[in-house]
Amino acid sequence: MNKQDYILSINDLKTQFKIGKRVVKAVDGVTLNVRRGKTMGLVGESGCGKSVTAHSIMQLLPKAGSIKEGEIIFRPQNSEEFDIAKYRKTDKKLRNMRGRQISMIFQDPMSSLNPVYRIGDQIIESIIQHERISKKAAIKRTVDMLEMLSIPQADKRIMDYPHQFSGGMKQRVMIAMGLITNPELLIADEPTTALDVTIQAQILELMQQMQEQLGFTIIIITHNMGIVADMADDIAVMYMGKIMEFGAKEDIFLRPTHPYTRALLKSVPVLGNGGNDRLEPIRGTTPDPSDMPEGCSFMPRCDLATEKCKNAPPYEDVGNGHMVRCWYAKGGAANE
């Protein structure tokens, strides 16, 4: 594919946190290409580095965190590409990009919305910050967006405060804040974690409908394999700061190659598989990120591990862009 087909290219990204005398390698050499207009799912266990990857893309890392190496190449549709990793979070070019060309929906709408400001004011602020537009026009756009997201009486609800909205309605407001400036890339970090199953389905369907209408790209971050099975075109499987496997949805679900991907899929209940199928938990626990084992980070938990795994495996293409980080990916133990 031509590089212009990718709206975002992450190359060997390394993000670290310094906590006292410890150095935590939260993102350790991530390489990803995100196709323009598509949805990429980033999955893995809690603490594997998914959210830190998202915050690195947005340059919203806390004070203790920093990007040490790598590139984050963003390619806006009608302007030249630029490397986000080279900018400080306070740089004007980055501030103009953040929220306008790249937006983010955070995990918890309860804590992301300011409880003392009206919903409408919080959305309108995003528009006025990035565009020269009258407040009247900003209010109209806000009402139109909330109506698109199926919020009834939107012209009146913009005067309400967050506590007057249900959890599902708060999440719709967060989506409205993310899309109100017509971004090219939307990062959704666990967008349905705090919602019940029925509301989850509604929110995900809304995101898909909005993507079809507006044509933006989505990176959806989750530990829920069911969500990416429904929404994603491509899937990246992350473990302890590294991408273990990347490929089209069909490759990941029908032809999983890395032992970690296979273990993840075996640990997820599948509706209709029958009551006799037992789930297989992944044995062991994730290692301390400040004291990682040498070689393959999944080796202590992998049933297929050998002496060879004490050396870091390559990240290689096993066919048609299906990338795997395992010594035995090409016809070896991982495929037995």
Side-chain angles (χ1 to χ4, degrees), residues 311-327:
N311 299 307
Y315 187 53
E316 57 186 349
D317 193 332
V318 295
N320 298 318
H322 185 177
M323 305 294 295
V324 184
R325 190 184 300 276
C326 180
W327 282 113

Side-chain angles (χ1 to χ4, degrees), residues 114-332:
N114 192 320
V116 301
Y117 287 98
R118 298 179 195 274
I119 289 294
D121 291 337
Q122 296 188 55
I123 301 174
I124 289 165
E125 183 184 12
S126 298
I127 307 173
I128 293 175
Q129 184 176 353
H130 294 290
E131 300 179 31
R132 291 182 178 179
I133 187 173
S134 69
K135 187 169 183 179
K136 183 177 179 181
I139 291 171
K140 184 181 185 306
R141 193 196 292 186
T142 298
V143 171
D144 290 344
M145 177 62 73
L146 293 178
E147 287 176 345
M148 287 177 71
L149 290 164
S150 302
I151 293 182
Q153 298 182 303
D155 57 333
K156 295 182 176 62
R157 298 303 311 262
I158 61 171
M159 302 301 293
D160 290 343
Y161 292 90
H163 73 270
Q164 294 172 279
F165 284 71
S166 66
M169 287 296 178
K170 283 193 183 86
Q171 194 58 280
R172 290 169 196 245
V173 170
M174 292 301 299
I175 294 172
M177 291 177 71
L179 297 179
I180 199 67
T181 56
N182 296 319
E184 296 183 45
L185 174 62
L186 178 69
I187 302 173
D189 187 4
E190 302 276 8
T192 59
T193 297
L195 306 176
D196 64 55
V197 176
T198 305
I199 303 300
Q200 274 188 29
Q202 292 177 7
I203 295 298
L204 295 173
E205 186 177 355
L206 273 171
M207 288 177 64
Q208 289 174 299
Q209 290 173 356
M210 296 295 286
Q211 185 183 34
E212 289 175 10
Q213 291 179 43
L214 302 175
F216 55 87
T217 305
I218 297 175
I219 297 176
I220 187 162
I221 297 169
T222 181
H223 59 269
N224 188 325
M225 297 298 285
I227 288 176
V228 292
D230 181 50
M231 282 193 69
D233 299 290
D234 302 315
I235 298 172
V237 181
M238 195 169 189
Y239 182 77
M240 299 312 296
K242 296 182 184 293
I243 303 299
M244 293 301 187
E245 187 162 3
F246 174 86
K249 175 169 62 179
E250 293 76 14
D251 286 330
I252 300 301
F253 280 94
L254 301 180
R255 294 173 290 277
T257 300
H258 197 283
Y260 178 60
T261 307
R262 292 185 168 204
L264 269 184
L265 293 171
K266 287 178 182 178
S267 67
V268 175
V270 179
L271 193 65
N273 258 12
N276 295 324
D277 289 348
R278 296 188 62 181
L279 299 179
E280 298 181 26
I282 304 173
R283 67 179 178 86
T285 57
T286 53
D288 182 341
S290 64
D291 186 23
M292 294 289 291
E294 292 186 11
C296 177
S297 54
F298 188 59
M299 181 180 65
R301 306 175 71 187
C302 182
D303 294 329
L304 304 176
T306 66
E307 282 293 314
K308 189 174 185 178
C309 301
K310 291 181 179 179
N311 299 307
Y315 187 53
E316 57 186 349
D317 193 332
V318 295
N320 298 318
H322 185 177
M323 305 294 295
V324 184
R325 190 184 300 276
C326 180
W327 282 113
Y328 303 107
K330 290 188 174 180

Side-chain angles (χ1 to χ4, degrees), residues 32-68:
L32 280 175
N33 286 305
V34 182
R35 291 192 288 160
R36 192 181 301 276
K38 302 294 184 180
T39 298
M40 191 202 77
L42 183 57
V43 300
E45 294 172 273
S46 296
C48 72
K50 305 186 300 295
S51 293
V52 177
T53 301
H55 286 101
S56 298
I57 295 170
M58 296 292 288
Q59 280 281 25
L60 288 175
L61 294 166
K63 191 174 181 180
S66 61
I67 296 172
K68 290 299 182 183

